[in-house]
Amino acid sequence: MVLHRLRIALGASMLILASCATTGPGNGNLSFEDAGDTMLLDASPLIAGEKLLDLSSIDVLEMSPEMTAFVDDHVPSGMSPPTRLKILLRAVVGGDEFELVYDDSTRTASETFNARHGNCLSFTNLFIAFARHLGLDASYQEVEIDPDWSLTGESFLLNQHVNVFIDFRHSAERVVDFNFSYDPTIEYDFKHIYEKTVVSDARARAHYFNNLGAEFMLQGRDTPQVFSYFLESLTSDDSFAAAWTNLGILYRREGYPDYAEAAYLRALTADPNNMVAMSNLASLYEQMERAREAERYRERVTHHRMKNPYYRYALARNEAIEGNFSSARKHLRYAIGKRKTESRFHALMGVSYALDGNRAAAQRWMARATDLASNEAEKKHFSQKLDRLMSLVEE
């Protein structure tokens, strides 16, 4: 297997959609009701007398003396909170002295500062530590973006997303998002396009250890070590469905399908609509020749996906490529109804009309996409796309 590829904007946590490794017979008798958190965590057969890693003392946001000196040297005291944020941003990403380089590794704030490398969760840890040192009210924020999948060996990875939420209380809040495809020193509007939720430090800690557990599982590390990271994740926040799902994958890989089933079901207790847990559960039931239960979860996955505007957008794009423009627009109408300010949905609607020979409708929809564009580069892109399409459509 090769390592997963997390884009900067999509690297907060890892959910492995399907694991095709052969599993053994399991214990044959374990049920979800019997398992519970104690059986899955404290009395796990994966431990088998092995000593687990003690990860409880790790402080994801710890500030080293060098970090403190960096912030104090670059951000003058006595500035207003918005000014402090602006200067900090330019110190971190706007100059040549502090160059951040993306890689696939999850790191604490101090590790990221020392390495100048990391994924988006690493950079988010670093920035929140800096911001809080300056007295800014900085929090982690989970963002519901369109699903981003990658393939690693026989496993699919779902990359979720977090960013930094700054609350100025008496003025507009700000969002800092480490996506290197745009300039982080410029304000971008994340408030209306995507659903978002400010989360606790405990949830962020759960993200951190879940990431490491998943990374180490893909690297083939010792099972007790991998288990230690998922255990710490769930100790931080036992409502974090991602860690329960990944723990289920670990159980399945190690030959305990009954425990895997219990972990997936526990994930669904935490998040009843978690499609990744459902997909893994359906795959497991197919392997266990429980066809009726597998089909039930497959149907649930399909049902929930069809309610996701970004999934419908992906379907619309495929339909447009195939020349099924009416079907594409049906999906887009649903998607736009759910996300009225998503410029890409309007742009694709314009493309579908242009390719279908309706110039007037194409121009109307592309104009809406341009109005909703978040920056000038996107506006220019939509305008150029419309010009190219119009040149292909007869008057």
Side-chain angles (χ1 to χ4, degrees), residues 61-81 83-93 97-98 109-110 112-114 116 123-136 138 178:
L61 296 175
E62 182 179 10
M63 287 279 290
S64 66
E66 293 79 12
M67 293 170 67
T68 300
F70 174 84
V71 176
D72 292 343
D73 288 345
H74 285 81
V75 185
S77 59
M79 311 296 288
S80 68
T83 302
R84 270 177 272 164
L85 174 62
K86 184 176 181 179
I87 295 174
L88 177 62
L89 263 174
R90 294 196 179 280
V92 173
V93 297
E97 178 183 349
F98 197 89
S110 59
T112 305
F113 180 83
N114 292 333
R116 301 299 205 270
F123 298 143
T124 298
N125 289 336
L126 176 67
F127 198 84
I128 286 181
F130 280 166
R132 290 183 181 177
H133 177 71
L134 291 173
L136 299 176
F178 284 94

Side-chain angles (χ1 to χ4, degrees), residues 104-123:
D104 286 329
S105 300
T106 301
R107 295 181 168 91
T108 65
S110 59
E111 290 170 344
T112 305
F113 180 83
N114 292 333
R116 301 299 205 270
H117 285 65
N119 58 23
C120 81
L121 181 57
S122 304
F123 298 143

Side-chain angles (χ1 to χ4, degrees), residues 37 123 193 198-199 235 241 275 281 322-323 389-390:
D37 292 4
F123 298 143
I193 295 178
V198 173
V199 298
T235 300
M275 290 188 295
L281 197 54
E322 296 294 327
L389 289 170
M390 289 300 98

Side-chain angles (χ1 to χ4, degrees), residues 43-247:
S44 170
L46 297 178
I47 301 173
E50 296 285 341
K51 186 176 181 180
L52 297 178
L53 300 176
D54 183 3
L55 306 171
S56 60
S57 63
I58 294 178
D59 183 355
V60 174
L61 296 175
E62 182 179 10
M63 287 279 290
S64 66
E66 293 79 12
M67 293 170 67
T68 300
F70 174 84
V71 176
D72 292 343
D73 288 345
H74 285 81
V75 185
S77 59
M79 311 296 288
S80 68
T83 302
R84 270 177 272 164
L85 174 62
K86 184 176 181 179
I87 295 174
L88 177 62
L89 263 174
R90 294 196 179 280
V92 173
V93 297
D96 298 329
E97 178 183 349
F98 197 89
E99 182 179 0
L100 295 176
V101 179
Y102 173 76
D103 67 23
D104 286 329
S105 300
T106 301
R107 295 181 168 91
T108 65
S110 59
E111 290 170 344
T112 305
F113 180 83
N114 292 333
R116 301 299 205 270
H117 285 65
N119 58 23
C120 81
L121 181 57
S122 304
F123 298 143
T124 298
N125 289 336
L126 176 67
F127 198 84
I128 286 181
F130 280 166
R132 290 183 181 177
H133 177 71
L134 291 173
L136 299 176
D137 188 356
S139 301
Y140 293 88
Q141 182 171 249
E142 293 177 340
V143 186
E144 183 186 319
I145 59 171
D146 39 326
D148 176 66
W149 299 92
S150 57
L151 178 64
T152 296
E154 295 178 334
S155 297
F156 288 98
L157 308 181
L158 170 62
N159 306 317
Q160 292 185 320
H161 184 40
V162 293
N163 57 28
V164 183
F165 177 83
I166 309 289
D167 188 357
F168 290 134
R169 300 189 185 281
H170 301 299
S171 59
E173 68 270 10
R174 295 289 185 271
V175 171
V176 178
D177 196 287
F178 284 94
N179 179 346
F180 283 8
S181 65
Y182 66 83
D183 183 353
T185 64
I186 300 175
E187 297 284 342
Y188 289 84
D189 185 2
F190 290 88
K191 294 185 292 183
H192 303 297
I193 295 178
Y194 300 120
E195 296 293 332
K196 78 285 183 190
T197 305
V198 173
V199 298
S200 66
D201 285 2
R203 171 56 68 91
R205 183 179 174 83
H207 273 291
Y208 171 81
F209 286 103
N210 177 63
N211 260 26
L212 288 177
E215 290 172 16
F216 292 156
M217 180 163 56
L218 290 172
Q219 293 170 12
R221 300 283 187 94
D222 290 342
T223 297
Q225 179 184 11
V226 175
F227 180 86
S228 296
Y229 283 92
F230 291 142
L231 175 61
E232 188 65 29
S233 175
L234 291 166
T235 300
S236 300
D237 186 350
D238 65 4
S239 69
F240 190 37
W244 286 114
T245 303
N246 281 337
L247 179 62

